Amino acid sequence: MAILIDKDTRVICQGITGAFGAVHTKGCNNYGTKMVGGVTPGKGGTKDENGLPIFDTVNEAVRKTGATATMIFVPPPFAGDAILEAAYAGLPVVCAITEGVPVQDMIRVRAVLDEMNAMSAMPTGSSSGKPVRHQRITLVGPNCPGVITPGPKTGGGGSSSDPYTNAGCKIGIMPGYIHTHISESKCTRGKAIGIVSRSGTLTYEAVWQTSNLGFAQSTCVGIGGDPVRGINHIDVLKLFDEDPDTAGIVMIGEIGGTDEIKAAEFIKAHVKKPVAAFIAGRTAPPGRRMGHAGAIIGGADDTADAKISALQAAGVSVALSPADMGSALLKAMKLG
Amino acid sequence: MKIHEYQARDLLASFGIPVPPGKMITSIEDAAQAFKAVTAGQTTPFAVVKAQVHAGGRGKAGFVKLTKTADEATEAARFMFTNRMKSPQTPPEGLEVKKLLVAAGVDIADRPTGGKEEFYLAITVDRTTRRNMLIASREGGVEIEQVAHDRPDAIIKEPLHPTLGLLSFQARDIAFKLGFKGKQVNQAAAIMSGLAKLFVSKDCSLAEINPLILTPPSTQFPDGQVIAIDAKFSFDENGIEARHKDLKDMADHSEENPAELRAQKFNLSYVALDGNIGCLVNGAGLAMATMDIIKHHGGEPANFLDVGGGATEEAVTEAFGIILSDPQVKGVMVNIFGGIMRCDVIAQGIINAAGKHKNPDGSIGFKIPLVVRLEGTNVEAGRKLLQDAQSKLPTLQAGIDLTDAAKKVCAAVK
């Protein structure tokens, strides 16, 4: 099951001929993701090094490949447009990996996506009387590592014909091999964990720690480090809570914004599964941007300590050291 | 990124927002001429001479001066150009002032209810609603944070439409709420609309006019004129990088930390801190977490440093140079979880940095403790590179995991 993506997800890459787009298309392909093509305006009709067809527009790519998700590596000034092109083409899952997208672009993009999603929720919508065609769009990112639903390892990984996993789906830049599928012998506890995070490498750290403790991962979602983005902690928490394959949740937040505070309220009111959390940036000085555009302390509510207190009050097992994310999860699941 | 007051005034003016006449000068000799030019037409001439530095505390340090004659303006300029400005916000040795703003003084109308007609006007990005938010108050010229804290009802907030911006009726509505009357209403509304356009098109993260004032009535402005006296801007760095080379060129780097500037050139995200343990990490979240775990084990981080995902060996070598240029640094912790970043690239970067690092005694190589924790992509190759180079890295210790690495580096600098 997992959330958002699985073995049947058909993925295109926007910006497939760029340096990063090409490298990671290959990486995802070799992992076992069903990569079906890519888009670079002006290079339609050619093929990439993996033999995947390249199209001029997302619309054409979707029609000809049956794609259901996209991975965006388009440079920052054009990434907002790329997200909307994907949304207009009807792709339900849009992962924007690009770092450095202007905040003003994301304000406009989110507003358009929210409007499209509101319309898709109506029973009938278009002026012609026909129902609106597109489904709900889920934007992940930008400035994120992407989404991965691990598959059972095969031992390969050299190419798409010899993939690293069977039935895994990786959309993004994370190292696939650190993840564990529930069928693997390493998963001694027979349980899979969902991970949601604003940070890339800290997600890998959580994957590593939970794998070493005998857990698998159902799906890992990097929601990204920008102040205005697609899905938030709450959206992913809700999906994990409803997913029968997810036994527990690790949530990784950081300073800046109040999403983790809202997530704490949501967890308290709705989430039935055990949740562990870590908040990065307890030692960050106020007013300075810590790498991520979204990681800057402004008010009293967006400090790490305020978020930690709110999560603890919601019954979440909070790791105070990043090395203790795994053990905090054990505690949340009453296993340690 | 910040810009100076004289640049902020130009930016406001280019969006049709009235500001008092002003001139930026770079020498004592220009002061008299600037005074005459900006006060031309005033019945009782006066102008304010202000040092153009980012650090606060100018007024108390004597670097903002009210002058009534060209000679007084020259004297003020002489003082500011020949003394270093010292305030709690400057380095102890003070700052050299290279530019002054000479701005015409403006009379502020009395408020019938007491005090002066000073207002506050700003736009910022509200993350919670994902909208640009206009903030206004009748209580201008003071710390707005204090007003918001003491009298939250004195603050007006109005979200901008994500694609249409500030609508005319919204601007008028706020002008009425601020107490503007007659012809003042359209003046104030036009200023708000201009600020909203400026904010979006220049990718600001904060645009603040404080104070916005009302002048006493004159023949030209029978209801008085609404004018911006001082303005402060900060910008979204992503926006600046993506499409505002002009604004990027406006940046004055003379007050920035030299190590942070050097890091920018190599696309390294670096923030100097007060501790003694240097950190080299990939990923912003992990870099923050590394600072946290060092502190958790009783150490003090000397910096935040994210080498990013696409860093080359050269960038890693440079990162080491930047970390070690801080004389406070007594030990370094490298924490890498390779994703896009390959552990062998990091390892080679470390080895190269050791080969380039010159100690005060002239010897080459690291003398301070170095703890390296590698995990992720190409980790075996990375570890092997470091092992093979052990002779070049005599102070190297491997961290088995995060806790182990943090404990080792904290113990090593004790």
Side-chain angles (χ1 to χ4, degrees):
Chain A
M1 268 290 289
I3 66 165
L4 293 169
I5 60 170
D6 59 24
K7 64 181 168 50
D8 298 321
T9 305
R10 299 170 69 80
V11 185
I12 56 165
C13 175
Q14 286 170 262
I16 192 168
T17 55
F20 278 114
V23 165
H24 293 290
T25 296
K26 187 172 185 166
C28 294
N29 214 19
N30 293 357
Y31 185 76
T33 308
K34 278 204 176 76
M35 293 301 302
V36 295
V39 177
T40 294
K43 295 201 177 154
T46 58
K47 283 191 178 355
D48 85 334
E49 57 168 310
N50 310 293
L52 297 171
I54 300 173
F55 302 93
D56 285 325
T57 68
V58 178
N59 202 12
E60 190 188 359
V62 171
R63 275 190 289 110
K64 298 217 172 125
T65 66
T68 54
T70 176
M71 167 166 85
I72 297 177
F73 283 97
V74 171
F78 319 108
D81 184 59
I83 293 169
L84 291 180
E85 186 180 1
Y88 273 64
L91 284 168
V93 175
V94 179
C95 294
I97 312 296
T98 310
E99 178 176 359
V101 183
V103 177
Q104 292 300 321
D105 290 3
M106 283 313 301
I107 288 177
R108 291 185 282 262
V109 165
R110 254 311 289 264
V112 174
L113 291 181
D114 289 349
E115 200 173 284
M116 289 173 81
N117 281 339
M119 280 173 67
S120 75
M122 293 179 196
T124 56
S126 72
S127 54
S128 63
K130 287 181 198 152
V132 170
R133 190 178 57 87
H134 74 75
Q135 345 179 20
R136 210 186 145 75
I137 303 142
T138 301
L139 170 66
V140 184
N143 189 15
C144 79
V147 185
I148 184 168
T149 292
K153 295 186 180 79
T154 60
S159 70
S160 55
S161 57
D162 179 23
Y164 189 70
T165 69
N166 174 22
C169 183
K170 159 175 130 95
I171 305 182
I173 60 179
M174 63 291 278
Y177 80 92
I178 61 172
H179 301 82
T180 307
H181 184 260
I182 196 156
S183 69
E184 286 172 43
S185 59
K186 206 183 170 193
C187 178
T188 53
R189 294 182 191 267
K191 285 179 168 39
I193 301 304
I195 299 177
V196 54
S197 170
R198 273 167 71 182
S199 146
T201 43
L202 214 40
T203 316
Y204 312 160
E205 189 67 50
V207 169
W208 186 246
Q209 287 179 25
T210 52
S211 288
N212 286 344
L213 287 170
F215 291 103
Q217 293 82 34
S218 53
T219 302
C220 304
V221 185
I223 58 174
D226 281 357
V228 180
R229 55 179 174 258
I231 50 171
N232 279 316
H233 284 300
I234 290 183
D235 307 296
V236 184
L237 287 169
K238 186 167 183 289
L239 294 173
F240 278 139
D241 202 41
E242 290 164 356
D243 172 35
D245 288 351
T246 301
I249 305 166
V250 175
M251 175 183 132
I252 302 167
E254 60 190 36
I255 52 166
T258 51
D259 286 330
E260 291 86 351
I261 305 263
K262 284 190 269 172
E265 289 161 12
F266 181 81
I267 291 168
K268 197 172 183 179
H270 303 289
V271 176
K272 292 174 286 298
K273 289 178 183 168
V275 184
F278 173 72
I279 304 291
R282 287 183 84 194
T283 54
R288 301 296 306 270
R289 166 176 159 160
M290 295 283 125
H292 282 161
I296 180 164
I297 303 176
D301 266 5
D302 60 3
T303 62
D305 285 340
K307 293 178 181 193
I308 291 168
S309 308
L311 287 164
Q312 283 172 335
V316 174
S317 166
V318 182
L320 294 179
S321 156
D324 297 337
M325 291 188 281
S327 47
L329 177 72
L330 286 178
K331 217 170 128 196
M333 298 184 76
K334 303 200 166 39
L335 295 168
Chain B
M1 192 195 110
K2 290 177 191 162
I3 57 173
H4 286 303
E5 198 179 343
Y6 76 93
Q7 297 164 318
R9 289 165 40 96
D10 291 348
L11 204 50
L12 288 178
S14 68
F15 280 80
I17 297 170
V19 291
K23 244 180 140 63
M24 191 273 286
I25 60 167
T26 53
S27 75
I28 302 166
E29 293 71 41
D30 294 337
Q33 180 56 39
F35 179 90
K36 283 175 198 151
V38 303
T39 56
Q42 286 186 338
T43 38
T44 43
F46 73 110
V48 189
V49 181
K50 296 170 162 185
Q52 297 298 285
V53 292
H54 291 309
R58 288 183 304 178
K60 275 195 184 139
F63 282 73
V64 175
K65 269 225 152 67
L66 188 67
T67 60
K68 291 188 172 145
T69 63
D71 285 348
E72 280 181 26
T74 304
E75 268 328 291
R78 189 185 313 283
F79 173 79
M80 292 180 203
F81 279 132
T82 53
N83 289 285
R84 294 174 80 86
M85 183 190 128
K86 289 180 196 171
S87 84
Q89 289 187 35
T90 64
E93 71 276 16
L95 286 172
E96 187 190 349
V97 177
K98 290 180 185 142
K99 287 171 182 170
L100 302 178
L101 171 68
V102 182
V106 177
D107 285 326
I108 306 175
D110 291 322
R111 188 165 283 174
T113 51
K116 294 278 183 185
E117 291 280 22
E118 291 184 291
F119 306 83
Y120 176 90
L121 187 63
I123 302 177
T124 185
V125 176
D126 181 48
R127 295 169 63 146
T128 312
T129 56
R130 296 183 300 275
R131 294 284 184 274
N132 299 319
M133 189 71 77
L134 187 143
I135 301 161
S137 175
R138 262 173 79 77
E139 318 275 319
V142 289
E143 285 288 319
I144 196 68
E145 289 82 1
Q146 199 60 42
V147 177
H149 181 263
D150 298 344
R151 301 187 37 231
D153 54 326
I155 306 272
I156 302 165
K157 285 187 180 178
E158 187 75 24
L160 273 59
H161 188 279
T163 50
L164 300 175
L166 184 70
L167 302 162
S168 302
F169 81 85
Q170 290 179 300
R172 278 198 309 276
D173 188 39
I174 298 163
F176 284 120
K177 281 184 182 150
L178 288 173
F180 287 110
K181 296 198 166 49
K183 290 195 163 68
Q184 301 159 10
V185 174
N186 281 348
Q187 289 182 41
I191 289 172
M192 288 180 231
S193 300
L195 193 66
K197 285 195 186 96
L198 189 168
F199 186 89
V200 173
S201 62
K202 298 292 178 189
D203 284 282
C204 298
S205 51
L206 172 75
E208 182 184 69
I209 299 176
N210 190 22
L212 179 76
I213 62 109
L214 177 68
T215 65
S218 63
T219 25
Q220 196 190 348
F221 298 101
D223 289 343
Q225 188 189 13
V226 186
I227 298 187
I229 297 294
D230 201 352
K232 211 159 94 185
F233 291 96
S234 51
F235 299 91
D236 165 27
E237 281 164 44
N238 292 350
I240 297 289
E241 207 55 52
R243 57 191 164 221
H244 298 298
K245 193 177 177 306
D246 55 332
L247 287 171
K248 207 177 164 182
D249 292 344
M250 277 167 112
D252 171 2
H253 298 296
S254 62
E255 285 173 55
E256 287 173 40
N257 180 306
E260 291 181 11
L261 277 176
R262 192 171 151 196
Q264 276 170 27
K265 287 198 187 107
F266 283 83
N267 280 325
L268 302 166
S269 182
Y270 173 89
V271 178
L273 303 166
D274 295 331
N276 59 4
I277 299 174
C279 307
L280 190 154
V281 190
N282 68 324
L286 193 61
M288 272 187 274
T290 304
M291 287 160 47
D292 294 346
I293 199 167
I294 286 173
K295 200 128 177 174
H296 192 76
H297 291 285
E300 286 291 335
N303 65 276
F304 166 98
L305 194 153
D306 170 14
V307 290
T312 56
E313 280 171 25
E314 290 73 42
V316 175
T317 305
E318 187 66 20
F320 260 98
I322 291 165
I323 291 171
L324 295 175
S325 70
D326 176 353
Q328 300 250 58
V329 170
K330 299 286 178 274
V332 177
M333 172 167 166
V334 176
N335 183 18
I336 301 296
F337 209 118
I340 328 178
M341 172 52 83
R342 286 164 26 209
C343 290
D344 53 325
V345 170
I346 294 283
Q348 194 57 53
I350 296 173
I351 296 164
N352 295 351
K356 271 176 75 175
H357 183 69
K358 214 172 188 170
N359 293 298
D361 64 6
S363 62
I364 300 289
F366 299 147
K367 291 209 160 160
I368 58 168
L370 171 68
V371 181
V372 180
R373 184 267 182 148
L374 297 178
E375 208 61 72
T377 309
N378 289 10
V379 62
E380 295 307 331
R383 286 186 185 147
K384 183 157 192 315
L385 275 170
L386 289 180
Q387 237 161 31
D388 293 348
Q390 192 78 44
S391 63
K392 290 181 204 155
L393 299 163
T395 61
L396 174 77
Q397 300 179 67
I400 298 159
D401 57 27
L402 258 180
T403 303
D404 182 55
K407 280 185 176 163
K408 277 180 177 155
V409 77
C410 289
V413 300
K414 279 260 158 64

